[in-house]
Every structure is written in structure tokens, then in C-alpha cells.
Amino acid sequence: MTVADTATRAQYGFEGNPVRDVPLYDLAGFTHRWVDADGVRLHAVEGGRPAGPVVVLLAGFPQTWWAWRKVMPLLAERFRVIAIDLPGQGHSERPESGYDTHTVARRVHAAVRILGASTYWLVAHDIGAWVAFSLALTYEDRLGGVVLLDAGIPGVSLPAAVPTDPEQAWKTWHFAFHLVPDLPERLLAGREGEYVGWFLKAKAHSPDTFDAAEIDHYTTAVAAGSGLRAFLAYYRDAAESARRNHEALERQRLTVPVLGISSSHGSIPDMAASLSPWAEQVTGVVVPDAGHFIPDEQPEAVAAAIAGFVVPAGLPN
């Protein structure tokens, strides 16, 4: 297990980068790294206060670490911030298998450990929240707390069936579509831009949240190097994720502090209520004037909620 560091440069062709067809965006004050974690090369972007509490950020579909670009500088003065692309996402490797959330959680945790953080706070959105919940079930003793944003967790709070009410169905219809073998790939190949653009515009409270350049960035990341197959695999492995979540929860509930962040126009009206049956310490925040993509839409509110939740005292680094 090794780290490839681009501290002074972030070149598209850097030897550690397994996805060279996607432009590599820089964020002032942050460094690109690649980590060989449990056999899969993961991309991380790190910066902030080196001696501060570690905050790890995970994004979901159809985004990359770039989803946190507005939040990361707001956290950097107080915390060491690490945003990680999940397997199959952004500039991380796209393995052929292993997209159930417990397998992915093991790889994410390995990456964080390689980057030198023995204990950390985990903040995750959408599919990233699926991974974060499973990670907390296994590595709870390494976490100061978990923040989950607008996500139904497989086997926990994700509905078992897609609603047929048109007022609700548009938010979750894609779960069933993504499960169909082969068909999504055939229909979406070459049309990734329309698909990604629909999600970003329809699920944000304001359709102007994402500009054309951002949509192009996420489209390129989904289309490159089997990225679409990888994202679909998270949904196709959701039943296995749910099964393993159930097994873990039969042994114990989460005891680590959990913060659920919902939004006024998101998918899950009350994250705290949806998580409280499974965790002992749950609090909630509802962010106004936001849809599903809360970190993009209200970064200041998200950063403030995270900062207020992280308790530096007694947290080793």
C-alpha cells in the first residue's frame, strides 16, 4: 500500500492517476494523492490544518470529490480535510467487482489509514452515505462521528419498492432502472450528458445550481473508463449491502454520534428520524433553500453544521 503525491503539480498524465481521460481540477490549498488501498487505487484530495481533527468527505452519484469544493475551504482553517473518490468515481480506479458498501468501506478506511489518520470524522452524501453507514458499523472505534446527507441507506432507510405516486416517483425511479442488466448501459452510452444533467438540474432546488462546465465535468467522469458501469454497480450490489447491514445491526446499533442533514426540498425529509432506530446518538439539521445536492447549494450551512458537530477535544489525530 503506497501513496503517490502530487504536492507541487497535478498533471493529467501523472503516473499514479488511473483515469487520465478526466480533467484533474485543482483546489487552492489542497493536494492530489493516489492511494493503493486493498488492491484498488483511490484518489484523495487533502488540505487544511495538518494537526487538526480529520474530516473525510465522500460524494455520491453522479458526482466526484469536486462536489465538496465549496465546503472544503470553509473547513480547512480548523480541520484536516480529505475528500476521497469512491471506487469507480472520479479519478479512482474502476474495479470489475466489489461495489457492495462493506467492501467499499473497507477500501475507504484503508485509504484514510494510509494517509495517516488513525481516527476521523466521516461526512458523506448520497451513495457516499451508503458507504459511510457501513463503514461506521465496522470501524466505529476509529470514528469521532458520522454526518450523513440526504440518503436512504440500503437495508436501513431505503424503501424496498419504488413509489408509483408521480409526486414521489421522480426522486427514486432510477433505482429500479439501474438494477436492470445491460439495458441502462445500452441506452445511456453516448448520452451520459443528458442523464447526468437531468439529475443535477432536477434534484437541485434551483436549476441554475450547476453550470454547463460542471455538468460536463461530471459527465466526463461518469463516461470515462467504465465509470457508468461502476456507478450502476453500487445499485446492483445494494441488496448485498442491505444484507450485510442487517447482519451487523443484529449484533449492535451504532453508538458513534450521528448527524443527519436534510434539506427543505431533498429526497429524505428527516434524516435524523430515518436513522434514529439504528443509532443511539442521532441529531438532525434541515438546511433551507436546498434540494438533494446540499453541499453545492448551501455550502456555508453544510460547513457550519459539520464544524458544530465535530468535537476536537479528546480526538486523537
Side-chain angles (χ1 to χ4, degrees), residues 227-283:
L228 176 60
R229 172 191 57 78
F231 266 125
L232 294 172
Y234 281 93
Y235 295 87
R236 291 167 178 171
D237 283 1
E240 176 64 9
S241 302
R243 184 189 69 80
R244 296 185 67 176
N245 282 342
H246 282 153
E247 286 184 351
L249 287 167
E250 286 176 359
R251 296 189 295 269
Q252 65 174 27
R253 298 168 72 205
L254 283 179
T255 59
V256 68
V258 177
L259 173 65
I261 299 183
S262 310
S263 64
S264 58
H265 296 77
S267 299
I268 310 297
D270 190 338
M271 282 291 295
S274 72
L275 295 167
S276 60
W278 314 100
E280 295 183 2
Q281 304 178 61
V282 183
T283 55

Side-chain angles (χ1 to χ4, degrees), residues 9-65:
R9 59 188 175 88
Q11 296 178 345
Y12 297 172
F14 177 68
E15 62 181 4
N17 182 1
V19 186
R20 302 182 184 183
D21 295 334
V22 181
L24 190 61
Y25 290 179
D26 287 325
L27 186 64
F30 289 84
T31 298
H32 293 275
R33 300 180 185 273
W34 281 266
V35 178
D36 289 334
D38 196 29
V40 174
R41 180 153 291 213
L42 299 186
H43 173 233
V45 182
E46 178 184 6
R49 185 181 169 196
V54 178
V55 175
V56 175
L57 307 170
L58 305 177
F61 177 80
Q63 296 185 286
T64 70
W65 75 273

